[in-house]
């Protein structure tokens, strides 16, 4: 079959994170139209979009003032280092200025106060680890509100208090209410066992709180908390992974087998009402308009690149606000996946998505494993998948044990000493592929990023007979050196999942790919960013050095202006051209 143009697939654009200005006239959002995510705006009623930011660095997100339609806040880092700095600009792209800037510090914008004259945020300037709560006026007066511990972020604010989430790990978090006057911290969700408590917003009375939690069962439910009284609402058998609340309007997004279901609810009665009609895909970023006339959200699906959409309050039919280009590729050619399950070594049913290239009888296979590990392969848009499908490959994307979306028990099955059980799941997926008559299991590569990169290397070492090639992108290769060298603010978060350096060092060494490197025999391509604060580039360098000492077929690509993943379009072109060439040669 003819080889498609990879650059066209990489040129497919996306947009998300939409926010309305205070007058409801303009939608501000982030898009990669220029090749690097930047802030843009578009008239709410339709019209020509305008670029707001122009530095050759990534914009992480945007926020709008509740009172001043001319004020937009955006965050921006340098070279993918994740040290976000806060700036302002107007919705026409004029008057950019620094708001809170210290290049050595991570700043997490929170919310504007109700009158728009001040805002709250968290940063780690004190010690690089703990994120304290600050209040700052627009004229630059700043004061410390409270010293907080760990990875903390503000999600809502009243005149008197801030609603803060603090994470101990990706699956263990608590909700705090902090007095803006005194700095007194009240923990709303004390608990002893790991539980997720993700705050969303204050209720209209400024006293009750909406949050998402798995405190009562397997799944993450929506709750309204009034002191010691908790009221759950929404489904009991699936995760609520998005919630938006204003005075009189609410919406919740439910993860149903990976796909999003979106419905309205009444914030007072908590009655869940009509559904919003969505295509197969993943929706998030729910943002109710200041006048409660409707809601913005972002959605992407297998045949739908990410864009910002709008739906009128209580209505079912959304409309597209941004229209990101598919680079001249007909969306009708995009492939949707089939949901399957694979039985693992202990009888566990492992969910997976199977994408099949049209018209190819027994295609070679790319098994793509997600990172996290507390993440989930979901049916969102992936231009890399679509390119390889158009090139005649099948893609199998599993959710091995430890993945989110299937309940707390499933998510905990890989914790600490059970880490290698998830690798065994991945190898069983490889055996499932090998046993299929409609797939060519003799030509199977495994590819993944971050924690997924560890999975790639561990699978290649523990079942070398299954894998013809591997692609490791920003992957962990030694859990001990990873924990020693990752950003100080992240170490405790990750030790909660993997095990601690003090108590589990010997075990962590034993499961690290560097400890079984001699068993990796298939060709390997390793890709990393030099500025990665999460998984330092030394992880890539050490595994490649060891493999080269053994004479293995190994290649390393390092990008000096990238962090944890590939953001810049020129770098993505270089990297994925090499991936395509590498897999084309090996498979």
């Amino acid at each position: 079959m003819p080889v498609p143009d990879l650059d066209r697939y990489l040129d497919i654009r996306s947009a998300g994170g939409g926010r309305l200005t205070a007058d409801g006239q303009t939608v501000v959002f982030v898009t990669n139209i220029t090749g690097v995510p930047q802030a843009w705006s578009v008239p709410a009623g339709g019209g020509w979009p305008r670029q707001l930011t122009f530095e050759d660095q990534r914009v992480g997100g945007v926020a709008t003032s509740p009172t001043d339609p001319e004020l937009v806040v955006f965050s921006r880092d340098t070279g993918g280092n994740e040290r976000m700095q806060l700036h302002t600009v107007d919705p026409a792209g004029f008057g950019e200025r620094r708001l809170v800037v210290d290049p050595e510090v991570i700043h997490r914008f929170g919310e504007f106060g109700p009158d728009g004259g001040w805002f709250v945020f968290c940063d780690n300037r004190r010690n690089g680890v703990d994120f304290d709560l600050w209040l700052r006026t627009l004229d630059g007066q700043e004061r410390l509100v409270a010293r907080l511990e760990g990875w903390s972020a503000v999600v809502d604010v009243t005149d008197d208090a801030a609603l803060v989430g603090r994470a101990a790990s990706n699956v263990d978090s608590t909700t705090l209410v902090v007095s803006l006057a005194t700095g007194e911290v009240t923990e709303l969700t004390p608990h002893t066992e790991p539980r997720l408590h993700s705050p969303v917003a204050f209720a209209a009375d400024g006293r009750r709180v909406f949050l998402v939690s798995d405190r009562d069962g397997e799944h993450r439910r929506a709750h309204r908390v009034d002191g010691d009284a908790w009221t759950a609402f929404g489904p009991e058998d699936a995760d609520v992974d998005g919630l938006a609340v204003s005075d009189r309007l609410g919406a919740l997004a439910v993860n149903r087998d990976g796909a999003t279901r979106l419905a309205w609810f009444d914030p007072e009665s908590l009655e869940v009402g009509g559904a919003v009609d969505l295509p197969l895909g993943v929706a998030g970023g729910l943002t109710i308009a200041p006048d409660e006339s409707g809601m913005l959200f972002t959605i992407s699906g297998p045949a739908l690149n990410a864009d910002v959409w709008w739906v009128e309050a209580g209505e079912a039919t959304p409309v597209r606000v941004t229209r990101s280009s598919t680079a001249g590729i007909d969306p009708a050619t995009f492939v949707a996946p089939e949901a399957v399950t694979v039985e693992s070594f202990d009888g566990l049913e492992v969910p997976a998505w199977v994408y099949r290239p049209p018209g190819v009888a027994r295609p070679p296979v790319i098994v793509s494993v997600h990172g996290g590990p507390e993440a989930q392969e979901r049916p969102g848009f992936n231009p890399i998948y679509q390119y390889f499908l158009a090139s005649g490959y099948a893609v199998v994307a599993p959710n091995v044990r430890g993945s989110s979306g299937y309940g707390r028990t499933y998510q905990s099955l890989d914790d600490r000493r059970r880490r290698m059980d998830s690798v065994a799941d991945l190898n069983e997926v490889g055996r499932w592929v090998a046993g299929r008559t409609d797939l060519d299991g003799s030509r199977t590569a495994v590819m993944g990023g971050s924690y997924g990169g560890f999975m790639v290397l561990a699978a290649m070492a523990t079942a070398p007979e299954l894998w013809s090639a591997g692609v490791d992108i920003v992957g962990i290769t030694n859990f001990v050196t990873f924990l020693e060298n990752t950003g100080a603010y992240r170490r405790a978060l990750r030790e909660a999942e993997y095990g601690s350096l003090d108590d589990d060092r010997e075990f962590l060494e034993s499961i690290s790919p560097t400890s079984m490197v001699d068993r990796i025999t298939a060709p390997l391509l390793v890709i990393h960013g030099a500025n990665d604060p999460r998984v330092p580039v030394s992880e890539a360098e050490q595994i490649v050095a060891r493999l080269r000492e053994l004479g293995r077929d190994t290649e390393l690509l390092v990008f000096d202006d990238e962090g944890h993943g590939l953001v810049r379009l020129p770098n993505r072109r270089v990297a994925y051209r090499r991936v395509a060439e590498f897999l084309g040669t090996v498979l």
Side-chain angles (χ1 to χ4, degrees):
M1 61 189 303
V3 178
D5 184 351
L6 173 60
D7 284 356
R8 281 292 187 95
Y9 285 84
L10 295 176
D11 281 338
I12 294 172
R13 301 304 194 229
S14 63
R19 297 291 184 270
L20 272 167
T21 52
D23 58 6
Q25 297 301 303
T26 305
V27 177
V28 183
F29 59 99
V30 175
T31 177
N32 60 355
I33 286 174
T34 63
V36 179
Q38 298 291 325
W40 285 63
S41 69
V42 66
W48 194 261
R50 299 185 68 158
Q51 186 173 349
L52 308 186
T53 58
F54 296 86
E55 295 288 335
D56 188 29
Q57 302 292 343
R58 170 180 61 177
V59 167
V62 293
T64 52
S65 165
T67 58
D68 183 356
E70 298 301 311
L71 180 59
V72 176
V73 174
F74 66 93
S75 59
R76 182 168 58 205
D77 70 354
T78 300
N81 66 9
E82 299 186 12
R83 295 196 287 271
M84 289 292 175
Q85 312 300 311
L86 306 180
H87 308 259
T88 67
V89 70
D90 73 22
F94 302 132
E96 180 181 325
R97 65 181 180 88
R98 292 155 50 118
L99 187 61
V100 185
V101 173
D102 181 339
E104 300 305 313
V105 172
I106 299 172
H107 303 90
R108 309 188 75 189
F109 184 81
E111 290 289 335
F112 282 100
D115 67 5
W118 52 273
F119 62 94
V120 288
F121 65 99
C122 290
D123 73 24
N124 65 340
R125 73 179 78 173
R126 172 162 54 97
N127 57 16
V129 176
D130 299 309
F131 285 76
D132 298 327
L133 176 62
W134 296 82
L135 185 150
R136 187 180 179 101
T137 62
L138 291 177
D139 61 8
Q141 299 179 56
E142 182 181 87
R143 65 178 175 88
L144 176 66
V145 175
R147 289 190 172 188
L148 303 177
E149 297 178 356
W151 184 246
S152 300
V154 187
V155 299
D156 198 12
V157 68
T158 67
D159 284 324
D160 306 314
L163 185 62
V164 176
R166 183 174 67 202
S169 75
N170 287 359
V171 296
D172 186 14
S173 58
T174 195
T175 296
L176 313 173
V177 174
V178 183
S179 167
L180 297 179
T182 67
E184 180 183 1
V185 177
T186 302
E187 185 175 2
L188 289 186
T189 56
H191 57 284
T192 55
E193 295 297 318
R195 294 292 183 268
L196 184 81
H197 302 90
S198 298
V200 175
F202 286 108
D205 58 17
R207 176 177 52 83
R208 295 173 296 175
V209 168
F210 286 93
L211 54 81
V212 174
S213 176
D214 61 2
R215 71 192 292 265
D216 295 325
E218 282 290 304
H219 291 282
R220 303 171 183 178
R221 299 196 68 193
H223 294 79
R224 188 178 62 199
V225 180
D226 186 359
D228 293 331
W230 287 60
T231 306
F233 61 100
E236 300 181 26
D237 60 345
D239 282 349
V240 171
D241 63 357
L243 193 66
V245 188
S246 62
D247 288 354
R248 300 179 304 277
L249 187 64
L252 57 85
V254 175
N255 175 354
R256 180 73 68 182
D257 299 321
T260 299
R261 301 291 183 265
L262 188 59
W264 301 104
F265 73 91
D266 184 296
E268 191 56 41
S269 70
L270 302 184
E271 180 180 353
V272 178
V276 178
D277 295 332
L278 298 180
L280 176 66
V282 182
L286 315 183
T287 305
I288 294 174
D291 64 358
E292 300 186 297
S293 59
M295 180 176 65
L296 293 170
F297 63 94
T298 303
I299 187 168
S300 78
L304 184 71
N305 49 324
D307 265 315
V308 178
W309 290 65
W310 165 265
V311 60
E312 296 286 336
E315 297 298 319
T317 304
V319 294
R320 205 166 183 166
V321 175
T322 61
R323 296 185 176 276
S324 297
S325 169
T326 59
I329 300 172
D330 185 352
T333 65
F334 296 148
V335 176
E338 171 194 1
V340 304
T341 58
V342 176
E343 184 175 332
S344 194
F345 67 95
D346 57 357
L348 183 73
E349 294 292 325
V350 174
W353 297 98
V354 179
Y355 297 77
R356 304 174 190 277
V360 182
R362 294 190 72 240
V365 180
I366 299 170
V367 175
S368 175
V369 57
H370 66 70
E374 313 94 338
Q376 183 183 14
E377 181 73 32
R378 302 182 67 182
F381 186 75
N382 189 318
I384 303 302
Y385 287 4
Q386 297 299 334
Y387 165 76
F388 280 114
L389 288 160
S391 301
Y393 296 83
V395 176
V396 177
N399 282 304
V400 299
R401 72 188 68 199
S403 301
S404 60
Y406 306 97
R408 191 170 63 220
T409 298
Y410 191 87
Q411 187 170 273
S412 66
L413 290 177
D414 69 337
D415 288 355
R416 291 183 176 250
R417 298 300 174 109
R418 295 180 288 184
R419 179 67 42 210
M420 296 306 288
D421 287 351
S422 63
V423 178
D425 287 347
L426 180 56
N427 288 333
E428 290 300 329
V429 171
R431 293 186 181 95
W432 179 86
V433 169
R436 302 286 299 186
T437 58
D438 56 339
L439 303 172
D440 188 349
S442 68
R443 296 183 292 157
T444 303
V446 59
M447 179 167 66
S450 191
Y451 176 79
F454 156 73
M455 293 288 285
V456 166
L457 299 171
M460 293 175 71
T462 55
E465 73 282 1
L466 293 175
W467 310 108
S468 304
V471 179
D472 159 25
I473 303 173
V474 298
I476 299 167
T477 67
N478 183 307
F479 280 105
V480 170
T481 57
F482 158 67
L483 290 171
E484 288 175 337
N485 298 320
T486 191
Y489 65 95
R490 300 190 71 253
R491 186 170 299 117
L493 295 174
R494 304 323 298 144
E495 284 190 328
E497 168 70 22
Y498 300 132
S500 72
L501 291 172
D502 290 340
D503 300 330
D504 304 291
R505 181 180 289 264
E506 184 177 346
F507 170 72
L508 292 170
E509 285 278 12
S510 72
I511 66 169
S512 295
T514 50
S515 297
M516 39 184 137
V517 66
D518 58 311
R519 297 160 63 185
I520 298 176
T521 56
L524 176 67
L525 174 61
V526 180
I527 299 171
H528 221 103
N531 302 320
D532 192 339
R534 302 191 184 198
V535 181
V537 68
S538 55
E539 291 296 299
E541 292 168 342
Q542 63 179 314
I543 194 73
V544 168
R546 296 283 298 279
L547 286 167
R548 286 176 174 168
E549 289 174 2
L550 294 168
R552 304 290 196 263
D553 183 356
T554 309
E555 181 178 350
L556 173 63
L557 290 179
V558 175
F559 295 90
D560 292 337
D561 53 356
E562 294 283 8
H564 194 62
L566 302 177
V567 173
R568 298 171 177 274
L569 180 59
N571 294 340
R572 288 172 59 81
R573 284 178 171 156
V574 171
Y576 285 107
R577 282 173 186 158
R578 184 63 199 119
V579 172
E581 293 167 354
F582 172 73
L583 295 181
T585 299
V586 175
L587 300 187

